[in-house]
Amino acid sequence: MSLDWIYYAISWILLTWHSAWDAIGVPVGAVIGTNFAWILAIVFLVVTVRVILFPVFVKQIKSQRAMQALQPKVKELQEKHKGDRETLQKEMMELYRKEKANPLMGCLPMFLQIPVFLGLFHVLRRLDPAKQSKDLYGWTASQFDSASNAKIFTAPIAGKFGSTADELTRLGANGTTVKVIAGLLVLIMIATTYLTSRQMILKTGWAEDPQQRMIQRLMLYGIPASLLISGAIFPIGVIIYWVTNNLFTLGQQQWVLRKFPPPVTAKKTTAPAASRNPVQPAKSGGLFGRGKSTPPAPVKATAPKVAGPKPGAKPVNPKKSRPAKRQG
């Protein structure tokens, strides 16, 4: 199946944002060795895609909440069908169908972004100043030349850590500079990829289902580790896209997790009722309820209890204990 429609779509978004920044007045030429108009075009390609996928991202969070709520039932099925994997899988699929929970929804936003990533990867790989045909997916010759010469700190966005000497010569780039910039960006890409997965797992918790837990481990450790090798073949522009996407995800997840907090699981405690439910002073006023807390209502003092006489003790005559009146 031809993916030209993806390449045309990615090119159109990049060129539209580049024209917008050019119209605003962002310098097209290099400033501090960086062509900011093209860098911002890649950054806002991420913003465009993430805005489009935001409803899917919210569905992902809701699906993960539903999966969390089903964990007690999943555990019961695992205990009930221990040793019978086939029956367990059938029962779990039936449970997911009945409760309208989709285990694959957690990976859907990532899968939907793969065509965008591949499209940008393909387009940036075609940015070779030595090419004769420069009508690349709707680009003009001037746009093609501008993008081919676009740099970040003097490293071309079409260059990569594993660029050959011939490729670097055509791009007019210094090999050491390209390796340093690409290497730093790859490390940032790995770190932010790990942090996005860690953030989600810390907020939602580790799954009880072994398959779900395996997917979580793959997301947390497997993908970042694979980037250490695959990052060498990514053009610098693609790495900028990936890092920006990760930073956007960190912020978006933080907002959504506050908007849709994970369910609170009840825990058994042996503490007395008074210590489990202490009386808290009510909050009033202040921004977001951060005002001064009103003091608790004063408690009326009660009279001390007087102990009664012991059995067999002689009664005390209160008249004898009073002092005698003085004679006038």
Side-chain angles (χ1 to χ4, degrees):
M1 184 180 66
S2 176
L3 298 178
D4 282 356
W5 66 274
I6 295 177
Y7 307 147
Y8 275 99
I10 297 300
S11 297
W12 182 83
I13 295 172
L14 282 175
L15 294 173
T16 301
W17 278 114
H18 181 265
S19 300
W21 295 118
D22 186 18
I24 290 171
V26 175
V28 177
V31 178
I32 322 175
T34 304
N35 299 88
F36 286 100
W38 282 112
I39 302 302
L40 287 173
I42 294 173
V43 169
F44 276 80
L45 169 64
V46 176
V47 175
T48 303
V49 172
R50 295 309 297 264
V51 168
I52 294 172
L53 293 181
F54 184 75
V56 180
F57 185 81
V58 174
K59 286 184 179 180
Q60 174 198 23
I61 298 294
K62 290 182 177 180
S63 177
Q64 288 174 336
R65 295 291 180 271
M67 293 295 296
Q68 267 190 300
L70 290 177
Q71 289 307 309
K73 293 183 179 180
V74 170
K75 202 167 184 178
E76 288 178 9
L77 290 175
Q78 289 172 344
E79 293 294 329
K80 181 179 178 181
H81 302 291
K82 185 179 272 187
D84 189 352
R85 191 173 185 82
E86 185 177 350
T87 305
L88 175 62
Q89 290 297 326
K90 288 181 180 178
E91 292 286 339
M92 287 178 61
M93 288 299 105
E94 179 63 23
L95 176 65
Y96 294 150
R97 186 194 63 79
K98 183 179 178 182
E99 300 294 336
K100 297 180 180 179
N102 188 352
L104 298 178
M105 182 60 73
C107 302
L108 185 59
M110 183 185 71
F111 287 138
L112 291 178
Q113 290 183 75
I114 290 176
V116 181
F117 171 80
L118 293 176
L120 181 62
F121 180 83
H122 177 84
V123 169
L124 291 181
R125 285 187 63 190
R126 297 298 185 273
L127 293 178
D128 188 344
K131 279 185 176 293
Q132 297 296 324
S133 57
K134 298 182 179 181
D135 52 343
L136 174 70
Y137 305 119
W139 296 50
T140 64
S142 61
Q143 290 170 334
F144 184 91
D145 290 335
S146 176
S148 298
N149 295 311
K151 296 176 174 62
I152 176 170
F153 302 118
T154 71
I157 61 173
K160 51 186 179 293
F161 188 89
S163 290
T164 64
D166 184 48
E167 290 172 340
L168 293 170
T169 301
R170 293 200 304 270
L171 291 170
N174 179 276
T176 303
T177 302
V178 170
K179 281 182 168 52
V180 169
I181 298 299
L184 288 174
L185 287 173
V186 167
L187 292 177
I188 297 172
M189 177 175 64
I190 292 171
T192 52
T193 301
Y194 171 80
L195 288 175
T196 53
S197 299
R198 183 174 180 271
Q199 180 192 49
M200 182 61 72
I201 291 173
L202 287 179
K203 292 289 184 180
T204 59
W206 287 96
E208 295 288 342
D209 180 18
Q211 288 186 343
Q212 290 294 311
R213 186 179 285 261
M214 183 180 67
I215 292 174
Q216 286 179 322
R217 290 187 183 278
L218 176 64
M219 297 288 290
L220 185 61
Y221 302 114
I223 293 179
S226 68
L227 294 176
L228 190 61
I229 300 171
S230 58
I233 65 172
F234 292 164
I236 288 175
V238 171
I239 303 175
I240 293 172
Y241 171 88
W242 195 305
V243 170
T244 306
N245 187 62
N246 286 344
L247 294 175
F248 198 98
T249 300
L250 284 170
Q252 194 176 48
Q253 282 183 173
Q254 187 66 24
W255 183 85
V256 174
L257 289 168
R258 285 185 179 181
K259 191 77 174 176
F260 305 99
V264 179
T265 55
K267 294 182 179 180
K268 295 181 180 180
T269 57
T270 56
S275 62
R276 287 200 305 266
N277 300 305
V279 178
Q280 299 289 342
K283 293 182 179 180
S284 65
L287 184 63
F288 304 117
R290 293 179 182 176
K292 295 180 180 179
S293 58
T294 57
V299 181
K300 294 182 180 180
T302 55
K305 294 182 180 180
V306 180
K310 295 181 179 180
K314 294 181 178 182
V316 179
N317 189 353
K319 293 182 179 181
K320 290 183 179 181
S321 61
R322 292 178 183 174
K325 294 182 180 180
R326 292 182 180 182
Q327 296 289 331

